[in-house]
Amino acid sequence: MAKILIIDDDPDIVEGMKVVLESKQHQISVAPNGKEGLKKVKEERPDLIILDVMMTTINEGFEVARDIKKHQKTKDIPILMVTAIRDRTGLDFKGEAGDKDWLPVDDYCDKPLKPRELIRKVEQLLSKK
Amino acid sequence: MEDLNPCTGLVERLFWLIRLRWIAAAGVLLTIFLIGQVFKFQLPFFPLYIVVIFLVVSNILYIRLLDRFASVCKIFEPAMADSESFGIINGIANAQITLDMLALAALIHFSGGIENPFIFYSIFHMIIASILLSRRESFLQATFASALFIVVVALEYLGALPHYCLKGFILVDLHRNLTYIGGIFFVFVTTLYIAVYMATSISIRLRQRERSLRQTNELLKERDRAKSEYVLRVSHDIKEDLAAIQSCLEPVEVGITGALNPKQLDLIQRAVQRTTKLLFFVKALLEITRIKLSKEIKIDYFSFKEIVSEAIEQVSQKAAAKNISLVFSVEPSIDRIRGAREYLREMIANLLANSVKYTPREGRISVSVADKGNSILLQIKDTGIGIPKDELPKVFDEFYRASNAKEIERDGTGLGLSIAKQVIERHKGKIWVESEQGNGSTFYIMLPK
């Protein structure tokens, strides 16, 4: 059982993921934007962060990720980036994944994520920690 | 696609003029030879050959010059095309015609002056000027030709320039016959001006049509772009909603929210299937729209053999499940090529997935890559259901699916091959298919290295 923070502005996606992760007895908290997300990261010290890219701005998620990885106390929290951004920006994540400064996340995947896939990725990141 | 840039249009016409000049030089050479060897006229052949050499050398220089400006044109098109480089190339065109007329005047002078009927070949320069230049410039060239006529004939008349009589062709020496000179001059000048008037009337109209065609073409491109952007926005929004719907349906489907009775499960599964299908379609639509809208794609060097192997690997399981044998051969000289690696790999994998989908059990798919010098030829040959002959031209159209393909698989976006075509065209390559219903299909992709 782990504390997982979902930072995403789409309440329905959040609800879907929450149901899946709660079935594995994880404790879920939610933030609808980057600002509140960062606040909750500092207050709650989650074991894992699931982060959306496009929220208030088109790349808010990137900024949030950089902020989390910048601070000593939060930099070890794994981040799973969940996104549909490739469609709008044409960014190819595959080529950039190795560049930690550009995209400082531990794993990423396209929306929507199948329940089994979500569970698998989360377990993987938690066990790595 | 046809290039309607006015600058490259003029360059193209100048290259046409250069080709004409080769023919002219060869014709002059042959004529001089015939006059000297067959008709045995007594003319100063040395200066005549010098003029031919001048034509040849100047033509080579023009080619050099144009090659340089043609590349400038391509780099800066279309922004610079209308202004600076167009002015330069227009200047080159004017200079060429003027120099050609000087060359003709020299030839005429050394071969009889006013007595030489080839004097009327100036009309060709007028027609060429009318095609290449503005009306005003063309009339200026006609005036220049007339002035040149007067100067040469007058100097010969006054004895300031020697006169080479065309003995054997004419009966009496005509270069001092004022009536004859006046008559020829009148006909010569009116011929040139009328020719310029007629030819420019036509070419101005053609140029106007070309311009309006260019404008329409640009407008269409812009409209198409606006349409694509609209499609991109709409399908992206649809995709977001679909993703949310799936995120809510799937936990229920896999039983996370508790066991479902068979009827509930069946209905939920149907719903998931339909959203999955729709999501797949929207993703393909996004993909093709994105390729269309992207100004440039990320290009690097990579091993072509590697991406084909990877694409084969991607479909190998599905092929094995149907007992389809997959054969792959590459000519050893195939090495790295330039292109967008991921796009190409995904596209080849898509074509292979198609082949696997439409090839019956125990079939065979052979993939080969051949070296064709500047390009490579990829061939994907299957023993599948093939494509009906009358549908062959349509298979690369967006949303088109062959009738027999629909029978085998109800769901399909009809976008796979149009995506492939877009990707290949962005690489300046070519894709085509040969097929016969019931007898398999062969897809060919020609890619520049």
Side-chain angles (χ1 to χ4, degrees):
Chain A
M1 180 192 127
K3 267 201 292 189
I4 298 174
L5 173 64
I6 302 176
I7 309 176
D8 196 323
D9 62 345
D10 188 323
D12 300 323
I13 297 241
V14 168
E15 194 54 35
M17 287 197 283
K18 203 172 152 196
V19 167
V20 172
L21 292 171
E22 276 174 349
S23 76
K24 293 288 168 188
Q25 279 74 48
H26 294 305
Q27 187 191 323
I28 310 299
S29 72
V30 178
N33 57 50
K35 205 177 151 206
E36 264 186 59
L38 283 172
K39 209 172 109 201
K40 285 203 172 172
V41 172
K42 283 181 191 117
E43 284 170 8
E44 297 174 6
R45 291 291 154 76
D47 302 303
L48 175 80
I49 299 161
I50 296 175
L51 180 60
D52 183 27
V53 178
M54 250 193 289
M55 289 180 284
T56 321
T57 63
I58 194 163
N59 60 354
E60 192 175 359
F62 289 174
E63 282 153 25
V64 172
R66 282 187 204 117
D67 209 316
I68 294 168
K69 294 295 178 183
K70 204 168 67 189
H71 289 96
Q72 196 61 33
K73 284 178 184 163
T74 54
K75 75 174 172 49
D76 293 325
I77 305 173
I79 300 175
L80 170 61
M81 192 164 260
V82 186
T83 178
I85 195 171
R86 275 189 63 185
D87 302 324
R88 193 162 285 179
T89 64
L91 293 173
D92 182 8
F93 278 20
K94 279 176 199 143
E96 314 282 359
D99 184 355
K100 285 282 169 193
D101 291 328
W102 187 83
L103 182 63
V105 300
D106 301 85
D107 203 351
Y108 58 84
C109 47
D110 270 344
K111 272 181 189 175
L113 202 51
K114 294 228 173 283
R116 285 195 193 89
E117 189 67 9
L118 177 61
I119 291 169
R120 193 181 62 79
K121 290 224 180 220
V122 164
E123 311 271 279
Q124 207 176 36
L125 286 174
L126 286 173
S127 66
K128 242 197 259 174
K129 199 186 162 192
Chain B
M1 193 165 53
E2 201 184 345
D3 193 346
L4 287 169
N5 179 336
C7 185
T8 45
L10 182 58
V11 169
E12 251 168 47
R13 283 181 210 135
L14 279 177
F15 275 114
W16 164 73
L17 176 56
I18 284 169
R19 280 197 299 278
L20 284 181
R21 197 174 289 110
W22 288 129
I23 298 169
V28 171
L29 199 61
L30 184 69
T31 313
I32 296 171
F33 178 80
L34 285 177
I35 287 171
Q37 301 303 313
V38 181
F39 296 103
K40 309 276 188 204
F41 289 1
Q42 290 305 311
L43 288 173
F45 290 104
F46 179 69
L48 290 176
Y49 284 121
I50 293 283
V51 176
V52 176
I53 291 169
F54 167 79
L55 277 177
V56 171
V57 172
S58 64
N59 219 16
I60 292 169
L61 285 178
Y62 297 149
I63 294 174
R64 288 267 172 88
L65 209 60
L66 274 184
D67 274 339
R68 240 186 72 205
F69 281 106
S71 59
V72 170
C73 249
K74 272 182 195 127
I75 295 166
F76 294 106
E77 70 171 347
M80 237 184 85
D82 293 321
S83 54
E84 206 177 321
S85 67
F86 185 80
I88 295 170
I89 291 171
N90 198 46
I92 296 176
N94 261 306
Q96 283 191 30
I97 292 166
T98 306
L99 286 172
D100 283 345
M101 252 152 16
L102 280 172
L104 179 64
L107 284 174
I108 296 289
H109 165 64
F110 288 113
S111 58
I114 188 91
E115 296 157 3
N116 188 340
F118 278 116
I119 203 160
F120 280 95
Y121 269 31
S122 296
I123 196 175
F124 298 134
H125 298 94
M126 295 306 111
I127 292 169
I128 286 165
S130 306
I131 292 169
L132 295 180
L133 308 173
S134 71
R135 178 167 253 178
R136 194 174 143 267
E137 287 166 321
S138 306
F139 275 120
L140 276 176
Q141 294 283 3
T143 311
F144 176 71
S146 310
L148 209 55
F149 177 100
I150 297 176
V151 169
V152 171
V153 172
L155 289 177
E156 285 186 24
Y157 177 82
L158 297 171
L161 274 180
H163 173 70
Y164 305 97
C165 189
L166 261 187
K167 264 185 224 121
F169 180 70
I170 52 161
L171 302 172
V172 280
D173 193 342
L174 289 166
H175 86 284
R176 299 188 72 96
N177 185 331
L178 269 180
T179 320
Y180 179 77
I181 292 175
I184 292 287
F185 179 70
F186 176 75
V187 178
F188 181 78
V189 171
T190 48
T191 307
L192 293 196
Y193 278 89
I194 291 169
V196 167
Y197 175 77
M198 286 175 153
T200 49
S201 298
I202 295 165
S203 76
I204 284 171
R205 207 173 301 167
L206 283 178
R207 251 178 261 166
Q208 269 167 357
R209 198 171 300 169
E210 196 185 62
R211 198 176 308 133
S212 81
L213 208 64
R214 186 162 57 233
Q215 280 164 353
T216 316
N217 196 36
E218 247 143 54
L219 191 74
L220 279 177
K221 269 192 204 158
E222 208 173 293
R223 291 263 167 86
D224 193 54
R225 202 180 160 74
K227 188 207 77 190
S228 293
E229 262 159 19
Y230 176 77
V231 171
L232 194 69
R233 207 169 50 237
V234 170
S235 42
H236 191 270
D237 288 348
I238 294 174
K239 193 195 158 189
E240 262 179 11
D241 287 332
L242 278 174
I245 294 171
Q246 269 204 324
S247 299
C248 294
L249 279 179
E250 277 171 350
V252 181
E253 184 201 17
V254 295
I256 286 173
T257 51
L260 299 172
N261 70 39
K263 200 65 226 168
Q264 287 168 331
L265 184 64
D266 177 55
L267 286 174
I268 289 281
Q269 274 172 345
R270 283 170 190 268
V272 170
Q273 262 167 29
R274 292 302 278 264
T275 52
T276 307
K277 179 191 156 191
L278 191 52
L279 198 60
F280 190 70
F281 173 75
V282 168
K283 276 185 179 174
L285 195 59
L286 279 170
E287 177 91 10
I288 191 165
T289 314
R290 209 169 56 212
I291 299 171
K292 275 190 199 162
L293 279 174
S294 65
K295 285 203 182 66
E296 49 193 50
I297 41 177
K298 214 176 110 198
I299 297 283
D300 43 19
Y301 279 96
F302 55 87
S303 154
F304 193 69
K305 185 182 172 183
E306 201 176 283
I307 63 160
V308 180
S309 308
E310 282 174 24
I312 290 175
E313 184 59 37
Q314 264 174 273
V315 299
S316 61
Q317 265 191 345
K318 279 190 178 155
K322 288 173 81 177
N323 247 344
I324 293 170
S325 63
L326 261 167
V327 196
F328 180 31
S329 69
V330 187
E331 274 183 22
S333 57
I334 299 288
D335 197 26
R336 292 149 77 81
I337 71 159
R338 259 182 105 237
R341 190 182 193 283
E342 290 309 311
Y343 276 123
L344 286 175
R345 184 190 53 76
E346 221 161 284
M347 180 215 71
I348 296 167
N350 271 340
L351 288 178
L352 286 170
N354 266 352
S355 287
V356 172
K357 201 189 288 173
Y358 300 116
T359 297
R361 296 186 64 82
E362 319 289 333
R364 177 189 162 95
I365 298 170
S366 53
V367 183
S368 69
V369 186
D371 196 339
K372 299 281 173 196
N374 286 331
S375 44
I376 49 173
L377 180 68
L378 171 73
Q379 246 188 77
I380 300 175
K381 187 177 166 67
D382 64 43
T383 56
I385 58 170
I387 301 164
K389 201 175 170 210
D390 56 326
E391 297 184 49
L392 267 177
K394 290 187 245 167
V395 291
F396 291 103
D397 292 354
E398 280 169 41
F399 307 113
Y400 189 82
R401 296 191 66 219
S403 53
N404 56 345
K406 279 190 229 162
E407 280 164 27
I408 289 204
E409 175 131 342
R410 200 167 57 101
D411 301 337
T413 60
L415 284 171
L417 287 179
S418 29
I419 292 177
K421 189 165 174 251
Q422 285 284 339
V423 170
I424 294 300
E425 279 174 2
R426 288 309 284 264
H427 285 82
K428 301 208 168 13
K430 263 179 78 181
I431 180 167
W432 69 99
V433 61
E434 281 169 12
S435 181
E436 209 179 298
Q437 188 163 13
N439 256 338
S441 308
T442 309
F443 281 87
Y444 298 88
I445 290 173
M446 188 77 106
L447 272 176
K449 275 182 188 167

